[in-house]
């Protein structure tokens, strides 16, 4: 079998995603318990609310893709009241993502899927959305940490 | 020739990158002239300074990769004093990126390159860094805009 050159391999893309998830986990950990649920700037969502969104997107989104089951967007983590509940869910999702990822084939990435019944795009674009949206909100989390006088982790710490 | 399945095609990856660059351009445009250069939260860099970093990374980084020429990181846009200078450079870089992108081959992405003489990684990782770092800093820009009472663009506006 001849190895075909790829822009990125399937294995490296999930490593990239999980690397970002590891960094976001560090950001969650750095928030003081109270500020995680209460601090915000200019009426924006708290980092708990942003994390709740991220949890509603990553693993459930990938599960929907693999099963080709269109499920509505639902924030289960909204009801969490402690950081440790968030972190526990985060770690469960790390496994869930790895398990579903193994069920993806190279042919899937260019297939179209209607994510949460709202975003009808090629699956690779759905996955880039998962990653980019997390980087975007985590960038906001960095500002919150700075405003709280806390040094955020290095961006390349994965 | 048999088409081989790809996680993402080379063409789609540059479209993805340029889509993000279009959104960042919108964010630059939305800043009032004065605030672009002066506003910040918690002693962080202004959006002008962050944009200057992005300009120093994207096009120069890709040029270095294509020519396999290791050049030190250098912020030329530091000296810009108007938003329109930034936007003009941004648009020039859009062309520069497209032109250099065409000179990349599929085999290049897995090659290792020492970006700015500091980051020795496979080229695909360098390119993901260009994109992710921009999304990260733009997320900070969204907080600045909100704090200034300005509605940022939708995240999916590309």
């Amino acid at each position: 079998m001849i190895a075909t050159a790829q822009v990125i391999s399937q294995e490296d893309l999930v490593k990239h995603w999980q690397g970002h998830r590891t960094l976001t986990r560090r950001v969650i950990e750095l928030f003081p318990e109270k500020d995680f649920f209460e601090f915000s700037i200019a009426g924006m969502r708290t980092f708990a609310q942003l994390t709740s969104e991220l949890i509603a997107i990553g693993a459930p989104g990938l599960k929907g893709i693999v099963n080709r089951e269109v499920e509505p967007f639902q924030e289960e983590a909204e009801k969490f009241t402690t950081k440790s509940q968030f972190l526990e869910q985060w770690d469960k999702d790390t496994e869930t993502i790895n398990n579903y990822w193994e069920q993806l084939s190279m042919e899937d990435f260019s297939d179209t899927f209607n994510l949460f019944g709202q975003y009808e795009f090629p699956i690779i674009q759905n996955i880039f959305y998962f990653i980019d949206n997390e980087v975007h909100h985590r960038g906001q989390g960095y500002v919150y940490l700075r405003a709280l006088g806390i040094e955020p982790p290095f961006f390349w710490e994965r």
Side-chain angles (χ1 to χ4, degrees), chain A:
Chain A
M1 192 184 137
I2 298 159
T4 311
Q6 292 272 341
V7 171
I8 183 160
S9 72
Q10 188 175 332
E11 195 192 337
D12 285 347
L13 183 56
V14 77
K15 268 192 211 158
H16 178 71
W17 184 11
Q18 295 283 21
H20 274 303
R21 294 186 71 259
T22 300
L23 179 59
T24 305
R25 195 187 193 287
R26 279 284 297 136
V27 172
I28 297 168
E29 283 182 311
L30 281 168
F31 270 87
E33 185 78 26
K34 190 176 181 313
D35 294 316
F36 183 67
F37 292 96
E38 294 179 11
F39 185 80
S40 97
I41 290 173
M44 294 177 75
R45 282 176 286 173
T46 63
F47 205 63
Q49 288 172 310
L50 295 173
T51 306
S52 164
E53 179 191 293
L54 299 180
I55 286 173
I57 289 176
L62 185 60
K63 179 171 179 253
I65 285 169
V66 167
N67 296 332
R68 297 293 197 281
E69 249 174 27
V70 177
E71 299 271 5
F73 177 78
Q74 215 177 346
E75 291 200 23
E76 303 279 355
E78 255 177 359
K79 59 183 186 294
F80 291 172
T81 54
T82 64
K83 257 177 51 178
S84 69
Q85 287 175 297
F86 277 91
L87 291 171
E88 204 181 303
Q89 184 66 49
W90 199 263
D91 294 338
K92 261 205 243 174
D93 290 352
T94 302
E95 294 307 308
T96 304
I97 288 168
N98 284 339
N99 292 337
Y100 279 108
W101 193 266
E102 280 175 24
Q103 299 174 52
L104 281 175
S105 76
M106 290 290 278
E107 285 71 22
D108 287 326
F109 290 92
S110 52
D111 266 14
T112 291
F113 179 69
N114 191 10
L115 187 70
F116 305 123
Q118 292 183 71
Y119 309 97
E120 180 107 36
F121 290 112
I123 285 169
I124 180 63
Q125 284 191 36
N126 290 331
I127 291 164
F128 274 155
Y129 171 74
F130 302 161
I131 300 171
D132 296 341
N133 184 59
E134 178 167 337
V135 175
H136 172 73
H137 286 316
R138 191 181 57 214
Q140 299 175 348
Y142 271 56
V143 184
Y144 289 7
L145 285 178
R146 289 271 183 208
L148 289 164
I150 297 163
E151 179 94 16
F154 289 118
F155 185 65
W156 55 87
E157 196 177 303
R158 303 282 159 89

